[in-house]
Amino acid sequence: MIQEILTYLAIVLSIVFILRKIWKIFFAKKKTKGCDSCSSCDDSLIK
Amino acid sequence: MKLSDLNTSEEGVIVKVLGRGAFRKRIIEMGFIKGQLVKVIKNAPLKDPIQYEIMGYEVSLRRHEASHIEVVSVEEALKMDAIDYNGVIDSDVLKNSAFKQGKTINIALVGNPNSGKTTLFNKVSGAKEHTGNYSGVTVGSKTISFEYEGYTFNITDLPGTYSLSAYSPEELYVREYIIENIPDVVVNVIDASNLERNLYLTTQLIDMDIKVVTALNMYDELERNGDKFDYISLAKMIGVPMVPTVASKGKGMALLFDRIIQVYNDNDPILRHIHINYGKDTEKEIAVIQTEIYNNLHKSIIDHYSTRYLAIKLLEKDTEISALVDKFGDQSVIDVCNRSIRRLEGILNDDSETIITDSRYGFIAGALRETFKGSKHQKNKFTRVIDSIATHNVWGYPVFLFLMWLMFFSTFFIGKYPMNWIDKGIILLSDFLSQNMTAGPFKDLLIDGVISGVGSVLVFLPNILILFLFISIFEDTGYMSRAVFIMDKIMHKVGLHGKSFIPLLIGFGCNVPAIMSTRIIENKNNRIATMLIVPFMSCSARLPVYLLIIGAFFSDYAGTVLFLVYLTGILLAVIVAIVLNKFVFVKENVPFVMELPPYRIPTFISVVKHMWTKAGQYLKKMGGVILVAVVIIWTLSNYPHNKAINDRFDNSIATLKESSLSETDVNNQISAMQKQKKAELQEQSYLGRLGHFIEPVISPLGFDWRMGVALFTGIAAKEVVVSTLGVIYQVDDDGSPDKLSEKIKNAKYDSGVKKGQNVYSPIVAISFLAFILIYFPCVAVIASISRESGSYKWGLFSILFTTSLAWVVSFVIFQLGSIF
């Protein structure tokens, strides 16, 4: 019984982890900073 | 006059916006552009900000920001044009005065002592200034004015200096003059017969992010020496226009001032700001200090100086800049800087000043190596001797290929010993749990899933560390720069010149930071093309898969095969780059300097630190994505429970036990039946169904459903391919302590027309290696491509393109290989 509970717990936690990872990769906003003072750089892609 | 000097309700027309980079851009974007009428709404003395009206709306500027904007006031306009003033002035008149004022260019002449600066100054001005060095604290400058092409040039001759450090009063004077007076254009006079030393000052001017035009003075001497100098290419690389001059004879003067006018008007095709690359470790510390400066230094200083320049100067232990930061900033900036200096000096075992100086000379050496061929170009003797081979037009390539081969050979040869130790440890742990845990699903999950799946990847940790040991040594000795340099010559022809190399090199570690580093490429087409070929660089996640397959089928010449796999990736990248540049993107090269730093012996700390970081990342991945993927794969391969299969085999085994056969025969048959039962259960599991679903697509490539599943799960992370094979083949384990590579070698088809035949053959292995190399980069890479390109379209394109290409290449390999 304990083994079954532990197994299901591991499976559920793994699914939660994967979903969280997918969220972080595709949807969470990244905090990035533009480079300093490069007037020549095309900054449009550096958000 | 300055905009900040106008009083409330006074008007003026903007003549020019001084300052540099981001600050100037921001001010201009707010509408403060040349020729615009601006009115002061409220300017209370000593109060900030000041309120202005421009383009019909009100805007506030801080006093120090307004002091960077030059305007013509009514009073000045009247003086200039002697207009009959009756209390009202037409804005057109004011604009006309501003136009005239805008045709005044303030120039500062800087250069090494005896570079012919004052000669140039005298020649253009007709003055008779004494030519010679300045000395002591009585340094000063002379300014003269003259007219040319409708412009008024105010030229200031500054003392000669070798650099812009704060060591001598001359150096400090020149630096402060440039910062305080903000000349429109700085003319850097260079002695063309001594380029290497003179360009050192140029690198510092580049760091200051100001408009520079270089006068290659005494160019006749360079020509007389028989030297060949492609100054146009050098100018494009460093973003500084260059004009050959012979000041003593007045040659090149008109061209020089034409160029200055172009630069002043922001329409010079060559002028751009570049960042000199100070090397990985130094750049990391520069970024740390820059962040601290952004957060904790007074805004007026940040607007005045480039933060990158400040960070570099702080790392150089520049006392004046340190004092400035101390005065206008938080103590934390100095603390962070001191920590960075300690870290950097600890890693590179040298003084931070020397590190920066060496990098600058490395930049110059790299720039001149590509553009200058001369009898007098001298380098450090040791570096020169090694470079005569390492960057040789012919021998450089075999040396490069040999060192790469040596790296992969060692990865395999040395790595197999610790790999075996880890493998034995995993088997011991597995046996221990097997004997001491009670039977149940969690026990199966731990042994067949976690230990088998994670363990199969963990065994390759030593190989990865060895690979990174070599990469770290190549980088720290300075050889990597040479490798990039010689490869650049080839890649230049395929439209991937310069900055594309940095992402490609990073790609050998991990493709995600490699994609992110494509930001350094200014041109969008080049940037996207580089993003699309980065996945062909075999990242360290693919290494375990290569090692597993190569170890199983090509162990006698494993290093060479591994080397060939990596090389194939590079060649594919080159071919794809050619195709993309020919059909998808228009080729547009941005020149770039490859630094050639002097060779140095790598420090133990630096090498260990790189390996430690890599080991940490690998283990973190193991405890995260791989562990989780293994749990899910195990679940999918064990569920749903198929009662019919279980009952059928259990009944057969029970019948067998009651038969009259000998005990040995019964045990052998039971063992075979249990193996068959596990195989059938696995085929009926969710994973098996998925595998059989995709099998028709991959069977022309020689792959079975298990390989298909492994490739599918590899989308999450490439190491998961190995983990999946580890979990799947664990089921077939009949108690023998065979390694995964042995199990793969002996794997047979369980069903279908090929039942009983070997799944793998050397040709299938090659086909599989090719597929792994080319197909779908992991999810994180696709997300990075989508994010960095600004469109999911490119992420999707990358998936379809790489996977289709992988299928075609593997198909050709397998089908052709099957014929012979």
Side-chain angles (χ1 to χ4, degrees):
Chain A
M1 185 64 183
I2 293 171
Q3 288 223 13
E4 272 164 7
I5 292 170
L6 286 173
T7 307
Y8 288 129
L9 193 64
I11 294 167
V12 170
L13 286 175
S14 298
I15 292 168
V16 170
F17 181 94
I18 290 283
L19 291 175
R20 195 170 151 263
K21 200 87 188 165
I22 291 171
W23 170 262
K24 271 170 80 176
I25 289 174
F26 288 102
F27 306 108
K29 284 193 175 169
K30 295 245 178 223
K31 281 183 188 170
T32 51
K33 194 163 48 193
C35 70
D36 163 54
S37 68
C38 258
S39 43
S40 61
C41 287
D42 171 13
D43 276 0
S44 59
L45 291 174
I46 306 169
K47 298 198 173 78
Chain B
M1 87 190 305
K2 306 282 185 242
L3 180 62
S4 55
D5 297 333
L6 287 181
N7 296 319
T8 305
S9 78
E10 278 186 343
E11 284 184 340
V13 168
I14 295 168
V15 175
K16 59 178 94 161
V17 178
L18 303 169
R20 37 151 289 282
F23 165 75
R24 187 166 178 265
K25 202 175 168 189
R26 198 181 72 235
I27 295 283
I28 289 170
E29 279 169 358
M30 285 167 86
F32 290 86
I33 51 175
K34 208 191 281 185
Q36 276 298 331
L37 185 73
V38 55
K39 187 179 177 184
V40 184
I41 305 291
K42 201 194 290 174
N43 182 2
L46 302 173
K47 282 209 172 163
D48 244 348
I50 309 171
Q51 214 174 343
Y52 296 101
E53 185 188 303
I54 189 163
M55 292 178 175
Y57 70 97
E58 288 183 11
V59 61
S60 293
L61 283 188
R62 286 193 296 263
R63 190 168 290 277
H64 84 266
E65 288 173 333
S67 70
H68 280 74
I69 302 171
E70 242 181 56
V71 292
V72 164
S73 65
V74 174
E75 204 177 313
E76 284 175 324
L78 292 173
K79 273 186 199 163
M80 280 170 77
D81 290 337
I83 300 159
D84 192 13
Y85 181 60
N86 54 7
V88 180
I89 190 163
D90 193 280
S91 67
D92 286 342
V93 176
L94 212 51
K95 283 182 184 175
N96 188 39
S97 302
F99 176 73
K100 282 182 193 166
Q101 186 87 344
K103 289 211 152 193
T104 301
I105 306 175
N106 297 318
I107 295 170
L109 281 183
V110 299
N112 282 192
N114 304 321
S115 59
K117 209 161 31 61
T118 307
T119 311
L120 193 147
F121 179 81
N122 287 344
K123 200 75 194 174
V124 295
S125 65
K128 289 187 173 54
E129 281 302 315
H130 173 65
T131 53
N133 286 343
Y134 291 78
S135 62
V137 288
T138 55
V139 291
S141 57
K142 268 265 184 261
T143 302
I144 52 102
S145 296
F146 75 98
E147 307 272 334
Y148 175 74
E149 295 283 331
Y151 285 84
T152 304
F153 290 88
N154 295 326
I155 305 184
T156 304
D157 185 20
L158 294 169
T161 57
Y162 291 108
S163 86
L164 294 178
S165 308
Y167 281 126
S168 67
E170 289 93 342
E171 288 173 355
L172 204 55
Y173 181 86
V174 172
R175 199 168 81 184
E176 278 179 1
Y177 181 89
I178 294 171
I179 297 290
E180 297 304 324
N181 293 282
I182 320 172
D184 297 313
V185 179
V186 170
V187 175
N188 177 206
V189 184
I190 279 179
D191 174 0
S193 61
N194 194 347
L195 286 169
E196 200 158 6
R197 196 193 65 197
N198 278 254
L199 281 169
Y200 187 79
L201 180 66
T202 316
T203 60
Q204 293 185 314
L205 293 170
I206 290 172
D207 280 341
M208 288 179 85
D209 188 12
I210 48 177
K211 286 181 183 176
V212 181
V213 174
T214 295
L216 294 165
N217 202 25
M218 301 185 229
Y219 201 76
D220 53 342
E221 271 187 41
L222 180 140
E223 288 177 324
R224 259 201 309 277
N225 290 339
D227 299 338
K228 285 192 172 63
F229 181 33
D230 182 3
Y231 67 87
I232 297 172
S233 295
L234 179 66
K236 283 180 184 168
M237 280 177 190
I238 65 174
V240 176
M242 290 184 157
V243 182
T245 59
V246 185
S248 57
K249 295 175 185 164
K251 284 185 183 172
M253 294 296 116
L255 283 174
L256 177 66
F257 284 91
D258 287 342
R259 212 61 202 255
I260 291 169
I261 294 169
Q262 274 188 321
V263 168
Y264 171 71
N265 289 321
D266 289 320
N267 58 13
D268 191 281
I270 281 177
L271 186 78
R272 68 190 169 106
H273 174 57
I274 63 156
H275 284 183
I276 290 166
N277 184 0
Y278 287 95
K280 200 169 58 182
D281 296 306
T282 313
E283 286 294 335
K284 208 168 140 189
E285 299 307 337
I286 289 173
V288 170
I289 301 171
Q290 253 186 298
T291 310
E292 199 59 31
I293 288 172
Y294 267 122
N295 297 335
N296 294 312
L297 198 61
H298 195 269
K299 195 80 182 64
S300 62
I301 302 296
I302 297 174
D303 287 345
H304 226 63
Y305 294 84
S306 147
T307 52
R308 181 176 166 83
Y309 171 71
L310 288 175
I312 294 166
K313 282 286 149 198
L314 286 172
L315 270 183
E316 273 189 295
K317 300 174 189 162
D318 187 295
T319 47
E320 295 296 320
I321 296 292
S322 297
L324 183 84
V325 169
D326 204 24
K327 191 175 168 190
F328 291 98
D330 205 284
Q331 178 60 30
S332 66
V333 181
I334 300 292
D335 293 342
V336 165
C337 177
N338 289 338
R339 279 200 293 275
S340 283
I341 290 173
R342 277 199 299 275
R343 262 198 307 270
L344 193 62
E345 292 183 344
I347 290 171
L348 299 178
N349 198 22
D350 213 336
D351 180 62
S352 63
E353 259 183 289
T354 314
I355 294 164
I356 301 264
T357 307
D358 279 356
S359 303
R360 285 205 180 107
Y361 274 115
F363 176 85
I364 295 165
L368 290 180
R369 183 77 176 79
E370 277 197 58
T371 55
F372 184 84
K373 279 196 172 56
S375 49
K376 287 193 173 177
H377 178 47
Q378 296 291 313
K379 269 194 281 187
N380 170 313
K381 197 182 169 193
F382 176 70
T383 298
R384 200 173 66 239
V385 169
I386 300 183
D387 270 353
S388 64
I389 303 165
T391 60
H392 190 271
N393 283 342
V394 179
W395 299 114
Y397 297 102
V399 168
F400 169 68
L401 291 175
F402 171 75
L403 289 173
M404 291 298 114
W405 173 84
L406 184 70
M407 175 168 83
F408 292 117
F409 174 77
S410 308
T411 300
F412 234 105
F413 186 74
I414 305 172
K416 69 182 177 190
Y417 298 102
M419 189 176 152
N420 282 336
W421 303 333
I422 297 176
D423 209 27
K424 278 178 186 156
I426 290 166
I427 290 168
L428 278 176
L429 179 67
S430 182
D431 288 347
F432 175 78
L433 289 177
S434 184
Q435 285 158 16
N436 292 290
M437 272 183 87
T438 48
F442 194 66
K443 180 186 176 184
D444 292 343
L445 172 65
L446 271 186
I447 297 171
D448 298 343
V450 175
I451 294 176
S452 185
V454 177
S456 57
V457 181
L458 186 67
V459 290
F460 297 110
L461 178 64
N463 307 79
I464 287 184
L465 291 185
I466 293 166
L467 183 73
F468 277 87
L469 169 75
F470 272 85
I471 291 177
S472 176
I473 290 173
F474 286 157
E475 279 180 353
D476 292 358
T477 50
Y479 179 72
M480 200 56 108
S481 309
R482 271 74 186 176
V484 169
F485 184 84
I486 61 163
M487 290 304 286
D488 177 51
K489 285 182 184 174
I490 297 175
M491 298 297 266
H492 184 70
K493 291 178 181 134
V494 301
L496 273 177
H497 184 52
K499 292 183 178 176
S500 298
F501 275 104
I502 294 171
L504 295 183
L505 272 181
I506 297 172
F508 285 118
C510 176
N511 287 179
V512 174
I515 302 282
M516 284 166 76
S517 70
T518 56
R519 288 175 186 188
I520 59 167
I521 303 165
E522 288 95 347
N523 179 272
K524 193 176 176 183
N525 286 348
N526 266 342
R527 187 162 52 211
I528 292 174
T530 310
M531 278 180 210
L532 294 176
I533 61 163
V534 159
F536 295 120
M537 301 293 118
S538 290
C539 63
S540 60
R542 271 174 265 196
L543 188 63
V545 193
Y546 298 156
L547 295 173
L548 175 70
I549 303 295
I550 293 171
F553 296 96
F554 311 102
S555 56
D556 292 342
Y557 31 91
T560 309
V561 175
L562 186 61
F563 167 64
L564 288 174
V565 171
Y566 274 75
L567 203 61
T568 309
I570 297 170
L571 289 176
L572 268 175
V574 171
I575 295 166
V576 172
I578 294 171
V579 173
L580 286 175
N581 280 316
K582 203 166 176 83
F583 299 108
V584 186
F585 303 120
V586 182
K587 188 173 139 186
E588 192 184 326
N589 277 331
V590 180
F592 176 57
V593 174
M594 293 291 164
E595 291 82 9
L596 288 180
Y599 286 103
R600 41 165 91 224
I601 297 168
T603 62
F604 180 72
I605 298 174
S606 165
V607 173
V608 168
K609 202 181 158 201
H610 285 140
M611 286 172 68
W612 177 254
T613 311
K614 199 66 213 169
Q617 285 170 353
Y618 198 68
L619 291 173
K620 200 177 157 197
K621 207 170 177 186
M622 208 124 309
V625 175
I626 293 169
L627 175 67
V628 164
V630 154
V631 171
I632 291 173
I633 291 159
W634 177 86
T635 310
L636 292 175
S637 69
N638 280 273
Y639 292 92
H641 287 302
N642 194 315
K643 200 169 178 302
I645 295 174
N646 268 319
D647 290 347
R648 178 158 54 85
F649 277 97
D650 288 349
N651 290 338
S652 301
I653 288 168
T655 316
L656 201 62
K657 279 179 180 168
E658 287 167 10
S659 70
S660 55
L661 291 168
S662 70
E663 199 182 326
T664 321
D665 285 347
V666 168
N667 285 342
N668 284 344
Q669 285 197 31
I670 288 174
S671 172
M673 273 186 173
Q674 271 170 341
K675 204 171 171 182
Q676 182 66 23
K677 175 185 156 186
K678 281 181 178 177
E680 279 192 32
L681 281 172
Q682 199 180 55
E683 290 212 11
Q684 293 304 316
S685 68
Y686 293 123
L687 201 70
R689 289 178 207 175
L690 174 72
H692 285 298
F693 177 71
I694 54 177
E695 200 173 18
V697 183
I698 54 166
S699 60
L701 317 179
F703 305 162
D704 75 336
W705 71 267
R706 289 181 174 89
M707 294 159 88
V709 165
L711 290 172
F712 181 76
T713 55
I715 288 170
K718 288 289 175 288
E719 297 98 330
V720 180
V721 172
V722 174
S723 304
T724 307
L725 292 173
V727 173
I728 292 175
Y729 285 108
Q730 183 62 35
V731 175
D732 290 340
D733 193 0
D734 49 5
S736 63
D738 282 349
K739 286 195 288 190
L740 182 57
S741 57
E742 290 299 317
K743 287 176 189 165
I744 283 176
K745 230 168 152 177
N746 301 322
K748 290 189 169 34
Y749 282 97
D750 299 315
S751 57
V753 285
K754 289 184 181 173
K755 189 174 178 182
Q757 289 179 24
N758 277 338
V759 175
Y760 291 85
S761 65
I763 202 71
V764 171
I766 294 173
S767 171
F768 193 61
L769 283 174
F771 202 90
I772 293 286
L773 167 69
I774 309 167
Y775 93 116
F776 195 124
C778 69
V779 177
V781 172
I782 295 299
S784 293
I785 292 177
S786 305
R787 198 166 41 234
E788 295 296 324
S789 65
S791 162
Y792 275 92
K793 188 181 76 179
W794 289 114
L796 198 65
F797 177 80
S798 181
I799 296 172
L800 295 174
F801 173 64
T802 53
T803 311
S804 314
L805 184 66
W807 195 93
V808 171
V809 172
S810 292
F811 179 81
V812 171
I813 291 172
F814 180 68
Q815 297 299 333
L816 282 181
S818 303
I819 296 170
F820 301 110

